[in-house]
């Protein structure tokens, strides 16, 4: 099984898509401000990436096994190109890879504006962001949160070619935004 190279490839994709260490503008299109968002303070994690979504949130077509347990996946301190602050991996490996990485981090390190031909502007709820598509069933999205933070989902899907990886990424990003708003 190719877990180590797959994780490395997923992180490289997320990092390249994130536009390493490039500060950008990033704000909600509308909605809560720091003074109206109860329970959230500047610098605090807005969510636990292993709890904000569950395996049940993934489309039925990719849930060929039951109750995939997410694995906490913090950035490696030895890898400065891992720009997120915290992450969680969900995988359903088979003959071919299927892995999602749910992350959050700082807008000073993770790009949310379209910069390249693979980038498309997106909106989840009232949050703007960017989604990037790469060959080999890879899709990455990043979107703004309160207090200069960014949420995101990165997915490698070679196992289920009939399922668009960006559809899964969009579903999970919408779930994150909805759950943060409630």
């Amino acid at each position: 099984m190719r877990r180590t190279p797959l994780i490395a490839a997923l992180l490289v994709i997320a990092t390249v898509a994130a536009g390493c260490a490039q500060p950008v503008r990033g704000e909600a299109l509308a909605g809560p401000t720091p003074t109206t968002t109860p329970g959230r303070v500047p610098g605090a994690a807005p969510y636990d990436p292993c709890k904000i979504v569950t395996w049940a949130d993934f489309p039925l077509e990719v849930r060929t096994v039951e109750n995939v347990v997410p694995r906490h996946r913090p950035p490696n301190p030895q890898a400065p190109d891992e720009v997120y602050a915290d992450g969680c991996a969900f995988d359903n490996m088979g003959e071919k890879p299927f892995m999602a990485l749910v992350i959050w981090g700082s807008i000073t390190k993770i790009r949310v504006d379209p910069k390249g031909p693979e980038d498309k502007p997106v909106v989840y709820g009232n949050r703007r962001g960017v989604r990037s598509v790469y060959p080999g069933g890879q899709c990455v999205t990043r979107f703004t949160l309160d207090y200069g933070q960014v949420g995101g989902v990165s997915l490698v899907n070679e196992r289920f070619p009939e399922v668009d990886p960006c559809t899964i990424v969009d579903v999970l990003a919408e779930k994150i935004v909805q759950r943060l708003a409630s």
Side-chain angles (χ1 to χ4, degrees), residues 50-63 90 102 167-176 178-179:
C50 285
K51 294 181 180 173
I52 191 77
V53 294
T54 68
W55 187 236
D57 294 322
F58 284 75
L60 187 59
E61 298 88 354
V62 302
R63 289 188 278 142
F90 293 78
V102 177
T167 300
I168 299 168
V169 162
D170 289 343
V171 164
L172 297 177
E174 284 288 349
K175 293 280 186 192
I176 293 169
Q178 289 169 4
R179 288 176 180 153

Side-chain angles (χ1 to χ4, degrees), residues 150-168:
V150 174
V153 180
S154 176
L155 180 75
V156 173
N157 176 22
E158 291 181 16
R159 184 165 183 201
F160 306 99
E162 68 283 359
V163 181
D164 178 8
C166 288
T167 300
I168 299 168

Side-chain angles (χ1 to χ4, degrees), residues 3 10 20 29 45 47 54-55 71 76 78 89 98 100 120 135 148-149 153 167-168 173-174:
R3 287 185 193 267
L10 183 63
C20 302
L29 297 173
Y47 58 86
T54 68
W55 187 236
R71 291 175 291 112
N76 180 347
Q78 307 303 321
F98 178 92
K120 175 186 173 193
Q149 298 208 6
V153 180
T167 300
I168 299 168
E174 284 288 349

Side-chain angles (χ1 to χ4, degrees), residues 27-105:
E27 302 190 10
L29 297 173
T33 64
T35 57
T36 62
T37 308
R40 297 197 196 128
V41 295
Y47 58 86
D48 178 341
C50 285
K51 294 181 180 173
I52 191 77
V53 294
T54 68
W55 187 236
D57 294 322
F58 284 75
L60 187 59
E61 298 88 354
V62 302
R63 289 188 278 142
T64 56
V65 297
E66 292 185 29
N67 300 322
V68 166
V69 177
R71 291 175 291 112
H72 185 70
R73 178 65 175 86
N76 180 347
Q78 307 303 321
D81 57 340
E82 292 185 0
V83 297
Y84 61 94
D86 198 7
C88 192
F90 293 78
D91 69 60
N92 182 4
M93 299 296 200
E95 294 288 319
K96 295 186 177 184
F98 178 92
M99 178 183 277
L101 182 65
V102 177
I103 61 104
W104 68 265

